[in-house]
Amino acid sequence: MAPRTLSAVVIGVVFLGLVGLLLYGVLVSDRADREALPSPLIGKPAPEFELPILHQPGKLFSSADLRGQPYLLNVWGSWCPGCRVEHPVITRFAETKRVRVVGYNWKDEHADAMRWLEQFGNPYWLVLVDYEGRKAIDWGIYGAPETFLVDAQGIVRWKHVGPVDDTVIAESLGPALDRLGVAP
């Protein structure tokens, strides 16, 4: 086969491969969970931690202190635009007292976090702080907001990346709580 013919065949095969990949992408783009990011933590123990409490900076609180009841861990920061969007939703959800809502203030300045909660309200049962983001690595946190549901035994049962809205609560978090036997 002549070099030009071989080049044309290779280019044609590469082109058809790219078209095939694009077609596949279009076909799967209508999946409802196409933006869902799987978490390797689902079904596994939540990472162990010991972090300061925002309102009591000298006091540490550990993952062991949270066992015995399920909790929702909501990762937020005063610098996070999506956190501002979801905050009223998290506040309404926390007011139901269906499950403890624990704030996880991530990579924030203490004064900024306090000011943010004073301005928008504090829906959290407790606010933990991870100023440098070291424990967030264990959770697989790479952005805010992110939200985790952890059962009474400390097993991660659900994760949501991005702002929680009423639809997420109704269609995803609510059913996850139902599976844990947490009454509405």
Side-chain angles (χ1 to χ4, degrees), residues 4 33-35 46 50 52 60 67 81 103 123 126 135 180-181:
R4 281 190 169 187
D33 67 343
R34 70 183 172 274
E35 293 179 12
E50 191 172 68
L60 296 176
R67 288 205 188 93
L126 173 75
K135 290 297 177 185
L180 294 181

Side-chain angles (χ1 to χ4, degrees), residues 98-171:
R98 186 167 184 196
V99 68
R100 294 177 298 173
V101 180
V102 175
Y104 188 105
N105 183 246
W106 183 52
K107 290 187 172 184
D108 214 346
E109 295 295 325
H110 184 267
D112 293 339
M114 293 293 286
R115 188 172 26 259
W116 198 84
L117 289 174
E118 287 171 13
Q119 181 178 358
F120 298 110
N122 183 357
Y124 301 110
W125 177 77
L126 173 75
V127 179
L128 303 170
V129 290
D130 188 355
Y131 294 114
E132 299 187 13
R134 293 180 199 256
K135 290 297 177 185
I137 293 168
D138 297 339
W139 284 87
I141 296 167
Y142 63 90
E146 290 187 26
T147 306
F148 299 82
L149 175 63
V150 181
D151 72 14
Q153 291 74 43
I155 306 298
V156 177
R157 296 298 177 185
W158 178 85
K159 177 182 180 184
H160 180 77
V161 176
V164 170
D165 60 23
D166 292 327
T167 301
V168 169
I169 290 173
E171 295 178 4

